[in-house]
Amino acid sequence: MASTNNNPPLIHQAIALYGGTFDPIHYGHLRPVEALSGLIGLKEVIWLPNNIPPHRPQPEASSQQRLAMVRLALQPFSAFKVDTRELEKPTPSYTIETLKAFRQEIGEKQPLAFIIGQDSLLSIDTWHKWEELLDVCHLLVCARPGYQTTFTSPQMQTWLEQHQTKQQADIHCLPAGKIFLADTPLYNISATDIRARHKAGLDCHDLLPESVENYIKQHQLYR
Ligand code: ATP
């Protein structure tokens, strides 16, 4: 295929994965990813609830409850799918291993991205084999209020600048290797805060979908 500009020819529309504890899923997950998906033109976003996150305290809701809440929240979005492979594993799920498994399945040419929030970008050098991530995928970073937009470490800032692209087309033209900092809408929402609000009996209706809120109440979660 001939290219009419300086960009390499588009091979495939990118697919993206989005991992998280989702304890519970909330608008700080849903709205930035919805905006990002439209901005980049993602083919689909595969949501990956984790089972035993290596760097985190254990979730309060069970795996099945977190999965049920993710399924309820994603119902309105035809391009959002759920993958349960991490939930079904009895051992810690490392993102790099999950990404390598997807890469094996989709082949080496299909553009693949992993979506994270700005807070996760800033601590990415604590992730297992983080240096290998960009060999396997792009990183799409959603803005998150309260987190700085640059690294404190000069080495990490250099790593970011070496891989950063401002061209959305790169995400579709290349299989992996780029970091895109997306100007997604800011939501000052965290699952920690939602759990605390439920414990305190406070209203959460503008923080997460009604279907998820109803599930939390029915199952008496976060009491
Ligand atoms: P917790 O408060 O329990 O730590 P969380 O709200 O940060 O949870 P996670 O499930 O741990 O949610 O996050 C999964 C992903 O979602 C991470 O990449 C995180 O950076 C991103 N994320 C979570 N909340 C927001 C938000 N309000 N804005 C942008 N990204 C977010």
Side-chain angles (χ1 to χ4, degrees):
M1 184 167 53
S3 179
T4 52
N5 55 29
N6 291 332
N7 291 325
L10 191 141
I11 302 171
H12 293 296
Q13 200 180 2
I15 59 175
L17 307 178
Y18 187 45
T21 314
F22 307 127
D23 185 26
I25 189 169
H26 55 69
Y27 285 142
H29 302 124
L30 289 160
R31 292 193 167 144
V33 172
E34 187 184 7
L36 176 72
S37 180
L39 181 76
I40 304 272
L42 296 170
K43 187 174 177 183
E44 58 182 16
V45 179
I46 301 171
W47 294 60
L48 278 165
N50 332 123
N51 189 7
I52 309 167
H55 309 295
R56 306 268 313 258
Q58 290 302 297
E60 284 192 29
S62 72
S63 299
Q64 289 318 311
Q65 289 167 334
R66 291 182 295 112
L67 174 62
M69 291 189 279
V70 169
R71 286 199 197 285
L72 286 170
L74 301 192
Q75 252 169 20
F77 303 96
S78 58
F80 290 178
K81 309 273 160 54
V82 187
D83 187 288
T84 57
R85 71 183 67 198
E86 289 199 349
L87 270 189
E88 283 157 12
K89 273 181 68 181
T91 50
S93 298
Y94 289 113
T95 300
I96 186 67
E97 307 305 344
T98 305
L99 284 163
K100 284 180 179 172
F102 269 95
R103 174 55 75 199
Q104 280 265 305
E105 288 166 24
I106 63 179
E108 59 185 33
K109 289 191 177 154
Q110 166 66 50
L112 177 66
F114 192 71
I115 301 172
I116 53 176
Q118 179 66 19
D119 56 310
S120 299
L121 177 69
L122 294 175
S123 61
I124 203 151
D125 58 342
T126 64
W127 291 22
H128 181 61
K129 297 186 182 169
W130 71 274
E131 298 97 327
E132 295 179 25
L133 288 168
L134 292 175
D135 297 338
V136 190
C137 67
H138 302 293
L139 288 176
L140 302 178
V141 184
C142 294
R144 186 168 187 179
Y147 292 90
Q148 57 191 66
T149 52
T150 53
F151 283 98
T152 314
S153 146
Q155 289 91 337
M156 288 310 293
Q157 186 60 24
T158 302
W159 170 81
L160 170 61
E161 286 165 13
Q162 278 169 349
H163 297 284
Q164 189 176 355
T165 182
K166 297 194 171 168
Q167 309 298 323
Q168 294 159 27
D170 282 347
I171 305 303
H172 301 293
C173 295
L174 303 166
K178 296 290 178 189
I179 304 173
F180 185 85
L181 304 185
D183 192 12
T184 47
L186 296 172
Y187 289 93
N188 192 11
I189 303 176
S190 73
T192 304
D193 183 44
I194 290 173
R195 294 193 300 272
R197 289 181 69 86
H198 276 104
K199 281 186 184 70
L202 297 172
D203 180 60
C204 292
H205 82 273
D206 52 350
L207 307 178
L208 73 182
E210 195 182 352
S211 55
V212 177
E213 181 64 5
N214 288 341
Y215 185 95
I216 291 170
K217 289 197 173 125
Q218 270 165 17
H219 292 82
Q220 304 184 356
L221 299 178
Y222 313 127
R223 291 262 170 126

